[in-house]
């Protein structure tokens, strides 16, 4: 349900009036701002994949997942067509999510190592997971216009998390390029020129510690470009910077 009565993002002053992150998540899930993404996510939800023929797909924008007082934020790219777009939860129901949540569990930031459905009991400890684009895009490639249209949601999320947020892990170059302008709009001082993405990159942002990490895509994990040990190292370092009790 889009409680704003609009098809796209609304002003940054409204989330507090509409119930903080819970209100923001509800309005994200009702967004229909990008016609190409709306058509694709709904087509995928209708046609389905044979392996999930008995599922009722979510088929809507996927809001962030995690506690409202998170000290660590993980920023991905966009929901997968048959992962988040099916289950309604970030990085849930696909191989990328399997890798991410197992690593979060290994460093003490998740209650279980698997993430298969929105009602599987998974809880995150001091961590929230989001993305700069909330709809599943064709070929996993949002356009720059779609990225920019979705940015106000991330800015509002950052504003609401600001009282507790201490560190951010951005997965992949697309997420890095999309997130830096959002940090700037949310009031953090981003260096000029903007720092380039690299795995293990650490950039202090005026009280917020920013870390880069290769994306947990199948291309990266199957080829060994990103190993479980590499992912755990970045997450544990970021957890320590955030003041969370993560451990290796």
């Amino acid at each position: 349900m889009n409680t704003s009565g609009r098809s796209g993002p609304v002003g940054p002053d409204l989330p507090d009036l509409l119930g903080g992150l819970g209100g923001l998540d509800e309005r994200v899930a009702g967004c229909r701002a990008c016609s190409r993404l709306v058509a694709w996510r709904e087509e995928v939800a209708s046609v389905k994949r044979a392996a999930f023929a008995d599922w009722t797909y979510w088929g809507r924008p996927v809001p962030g997942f995690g506690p409202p007082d998170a000290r660590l934020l993980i920023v991905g790219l966009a929901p997968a067509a048959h992962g988040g777009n099916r289950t309604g939860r970030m990085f849930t129901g696909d191989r990328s999510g399997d890798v991410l949540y197992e690593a979060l569990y290994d460093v003490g930031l998740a209650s279980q190592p698997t993430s298969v459905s929105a009602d599987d009991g998974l809880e995150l400890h001091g961590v929230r997971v989001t993305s700069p684009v909330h709809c599943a895009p064709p070929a996993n490639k949002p356009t720059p216009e779609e990225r920019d249209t979705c940015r106000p949601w991330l800015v509002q999320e950052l504003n609401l998390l600001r009282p507790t947020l201490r560190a951010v892990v951005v997965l992949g170059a697309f997420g890095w390029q999309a997130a830096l302008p959002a940090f700037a709009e949310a009031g953090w001082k981003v260096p000029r020129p903007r720092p380039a993405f690299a795995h293990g990159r650490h950039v202090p942002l005026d009280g917020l510690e920013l870390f880069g990490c290769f994306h947990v895509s199948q291309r990266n994990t199957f080829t060994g470009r990103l190993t479980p040990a590499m992912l755990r190292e970045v997450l544990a370092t970021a957890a320590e910077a955030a003041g969370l009790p993560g451990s290796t």
Side-chain angles (χ1 to χ4, degrees), residues 70-191:
R71 298 181 66 87
L72 171 62
L73 182 66
I74 297 173
V75 179
L77 190 160
H82 301 281
N85 190 57
R86 171 172 60 90
T87 63
R89 192 170 74 190
M90 286 285 173
F91 283 104
T92 296
D94 60 20
R95 179 56 186 160
S96 295
D98 292 343
V99 172
L100 176 62
Y101 288 116
E102 183 174 6
L104 286 170
Y105 175 79
D106 287 344
V107 299
L109 300 177
S111 63
Q112 60 192 43
T114 58
S115 179
V116 297
S117 67
D119 59 357
D120 61 9
L122 173 65
E123 295 181 359
L124 300 183
H125 306 316
V127 181
R128 185 171 170 88
V129 181
T130 193
S131 65
V133 176
H134 286 276
C135 291
N140 291 323
K141 293 181 179 179
T143 67
E145 181 180 2
E146 290 162 351
R147 174 201 63 198
D148 294 346
T149 299
C150 211
R151 182 180 300 147
W153 293 127
L154 180 56
V155 173
Q156 292 176 37
E157 193 168 13
L158 290 169
N159 282 329
L160 288 165
L161 290 169
R162 190 175 189 119
T164 58
L165 190 63
R166 298 294 178 268
V168 179
V169 172
V170 180
L171 302 174
F174 181 94
W176 185 270
Q177 294 164 1
L180 288 179
F183 293 134
E185 288 186 33
W188 278 283
K189 186 176 181 180
V190 177

Side-chain angles (χ1 to χ4, degrees), residues 103-109 232-233 235-237 239-240 244-248:
L104 286 170
Y105 175 79
D106 287 344
V107 299
L109 300 177
R232 288 194 301 267
E233 182 179 8
L235 292 174
T237 301
E240 182 178 4
L244 292 172
S247 63
T248 56

Side-chain angles (χ1 to χ4, degrees), residues 167-232:
V168 179
V169 172
V170 180
L171 302 174
F174 181 94
W176 185 270
Q177 294 164 1
L180 288 179
F183 293 134
E185 288 186 33
W188 278 283
K189 186 176 181 180
V190 177
R192 287 283 190 176
R194 288 175 179 162
F197 171 80
H199 180 81
R201 172 65 56 86
H202 173 214
V203 180
L205 296 182
D206 189 26
L208 184 69
E209 305 301 318
L210 176 64
F211 298 88
C213 179
F214 288 141
H215 196 279
V216 289
S217 66
Q218 291 189 36
R219 176 181 298 179
N220 287 340
T221 58
F222 284 0
T223 61
R225 188 183 191 207
L226 177 67
T227 66
M230 291 167 63
L231 178 58
R232 288 194 301 267

